[in-house]
Amino acid sequence: GSSASADIYNQSAATLKGCACASSCRTALRFECDVAPFCSVKSKDCAKGTADWSLTAGYYDWCDFNAYANYEDLQAAEKKSLVLAHVTKDKTSGQYPAALSVLSGIMGESVTTSFDASADVFPQDRKKYIHSVGVTGGIRFDSLGGHPYTGLFEGAKHGIIRLSSAKEPGKGGFAPGMGIKFFRDGRPSANFVAMYSLDGQTCADTDFFKHDWSNHVSATSDFGLKLIAAKFWQASYCPLMVGLADLSSSAEGQVGVFPFRLRFHALISSSCNCTDYEDCMKNLESIAAGQKMFEVYAEADPGAAEVLIGHLTITDPLTTSKFGDEDLFFKHQRMETDFQLHPKWLADIDRKAQCGMGCTGTEAPPISKGCHSPFNGSESMLSDDLVVTI
């Protein structure tokens, strides 16, 4: 993280082969099409093997952002108040990048970092091309009981929520969604993201919470599909879903019982004028602490009847935040992890429609496939093919 959040993350990157980095971590087109960050290493002889050699970086290896023990060893409540102190310190918002740079910018980032880094802040400086501006506050999950789900599904007192629009709001509408983080005692947080659709809603839908949100995003048209075809497949062959297995794990880290899908139905509404996003965020900031925000419904298996399992309640008011927009990080869990534990789910879904790709399986894409897009011909798409009007 930046030096400002050194109390949350303050260690150099490791590498997959256990080498010592001699440079900062970066991505490059000729290193598997920007799939993952790498560094030049001090010695080719590493703890777990020999580093690869390249003309431009010399000996190098792929970076690995492991959990920062000084912070993760704390109690959940301490981590929440630490993070919220950063959130409320500077209420200036970040900014959305220029529309034309969104896709070309994302192409040069590593999406895999969002699935692999173990941290509550971005472990290295990073520009957010989507969900760039939002509001952040505290939440808790109260379980109604009477369901089989374990771990945080049984109740989670110490959480953070960030609400934002995936794309910059404007005449073309806005795309509301949320990142959720639940802190845990002595080990890393569990996180997921949820939204209605990457394309979002039109300006006529003035309620930020008009549509139910899910950790499975509905298949989208222009903007979303371009992101998936261009880039998101590098991290997961089911990029329209994030997994929930980690939320169910015990204090010892043993995965328990978790549902296929969650749906969030808002119990509040908040007016959002798509041409005045500042005002939209002010309205979100006025939601009172103690307010029940969402009913949480769980779908045990694909197609099963949904069951109300609990509520998300605001504990600390939402606020615009420089830290929330620029540093706070919500790790994404690959849906492949859930499919490994429930292979039957794969057979019971329409992978092309529900994952955004037909080749979904139990294995995530390896780094070595970074340039091998499963989308016909899209690996040769030029960056000017990716310019979309948002």
Side-chain angles (χ1 to χ4, degrees):
S2 58
S3 55
S5 52
D7 50 355
I8 300 175
Y9 199 87
N10 190 22
Q11 65 188 11
S12 329
T15 80
L16 295 181
K17 287 181 176 163
C19 318
C21 286
S23 74
S24 61
C25 296
R26 61 199 187 277
T27 64
L29 189 58
R30 59 175 62 185
F31 286 76
E32 296 295 348
C33 299
D34 298 290
V35 66
F38 65 92
C39 66
S40 300
V41 298
K42 291 181 177 161
S43 158
K44 69 176 198 301
D45 303 311
C46 304
K48 301 175 204 160
T50 307
D52 291 317
W53 164 261
S54 70
L55 218 50
T56 50
Y59 285 104
Y60 73 93
D61 194 24
W62 305 102
C63 296
D64 199 11
F65 301 105
N66 297 318
Y68 176 52
N70 289 12
Y71 165 78
E72 296 299 0
D73 287 348
L74 301 173
Q75 297 294 293
E78 295 175 275
K79 288 185 273 197
K80 180 181 176 181
S81 48
L82 229 160
V83 169
L84 279 177
H86 282 285
V87 166
T88 53
K89 194 156 56 186
D90 179 349
K91 299 194 174 180
T92 327
S93 290
Q95 52 194 44
Y96 282 95
L100 292 187
S101 76
V102 171
L103 274 168
S104 54
I106 282 181
M107 292 303 284
E109 290 275 6
S110 162
V111 185
T112 53
T113 300
S114 296
F115 292 81
D116 293 327
S118 181
D120 287 334
V121 290
F122 286 105
Q124 58 177 44
D125 280 343
R126 164 156 187 153
K127 192 175 172 74
K128 276 230 291 268
Y129 287 96
I130 59 172
H131 295 288
S132 314
V133 180
V135 291
T136 307
I139 50 152
R140 68 169 192 264
F141 171 66
D142 295 311
S143 168
L144 285 170
H147 62 75
Y149 310 117
T150 58
L152 292 164
F153 290 108
E154 297 170 63
K157 279 203 192 100
H158 308 292
I160 295 273
I161 184 170
R162 181 171 179 269
L163 302 173
S164 63
S165 171
K167 57 184 181 181
E168 181 164 21
K171 291 193 178 64
F174 59 109
M178 64 180 172
I180 295 267
K181 175 183 299 295
F182 288 124
F183 299 99
R184 299 187 280 208
D185 294 343
R187 63 188 183 120
S189 59
N191 303 260
F192 63 89
V193 291
M195 54 192 304
Y196 159 60
S197 130
L198 277 169
D199 290 326
Q201 59 201 56
T202 64
C203 292
D205 285 346
T206 55
D207 178 9
F208 194 85
F209 301 108
K210 160 136 176 127
H211 301 277
D212 288 359
W213 299 345
S214 174
N215 63 307
H216 298 186
V217 179
S218 60
T220 57
S221 56
D222 190 43
F223 180 61
L225 288 181
K226 278 210 166 85
L227 285 177
I228 290 166
K231 186 68 182 176
F232 285 5
W233 62 267
Q234 283 184 336
S236 168
Y237 290 147
C238 191
L240 286 175
M241 302 181 183
V242 293
L244 301 170
D246 184 36
L247 288 158
S248 73
S249 65
S250 66
E252 297 71 45
Q254 192 61 44
V255 171
V257 184
F258 59 94
F260 171 61
R261 175 177 171 264
L262 295 176
R263 176 171 63 86
F264 301 88
H265 175 70
L267 296 168
I268 48 174
S269 56
S270 188
S271 169
C272 192
N273 174 345
C274 63
T275 55
D276 188 353
Y277 190 47
E278 262 181 63
D279 182 64
C280 172
M281 290 191 292
K282 279 204 176 69
N283 293 335
L284 292 169
E285 288 180 322
S286 70
I287 301 167
Q291 173 73 52
K292 270 189 191 176
M293 259 187 110
F294 293 99
E295 291 179 331
V296 182
Y297 290 86
E299 184 182 331
D301 299 290
E306 293 180 321
V307 175
L308 178 66
I309 61 166
H311 300 88
L312 286 176
T313 296
I314 291 257
T315 56
D316 304 78
L318 297 159
T319 176
T320 51
S321 166
K322 186 176 166 61
F323 173 85
D325 287 352
E326 295 176 0
D327 294 307
L328 185 63
F329 171 65
F330 295 89
K331 183 177 183 171
H332 295 37
Q333 190 209 290
R334 287 181 179 84
M335 196 62 194
E336 280 90 345
T337 306
D338 289 16
F339 289 142
Q340 280 167 15
L341 297 159
H342 290 280
K344 189 177 178 313
W345 289 354
L346 269 175
D348 292 342
I349 61 167
D350 175 339
R351 292 179 296 181
K352 183 113 186 78
Q354 290 173 266
C355 283
M357 316 182 53
C359 61
T360 316
T362 56
E363 293 302 317
I367 286 177
S368 59
K369 287 269 196 272
C371 297
H372 302 273
S373 169
F375 291 92
N376 285 342
S378 67
E379 66 266 52
S380 60
M381 280 171 94
L382 298 165
S383 55
D384 55 352
D385 291 340
L386 299 172
V387 172
V388 290
T389 321
I390 301 167

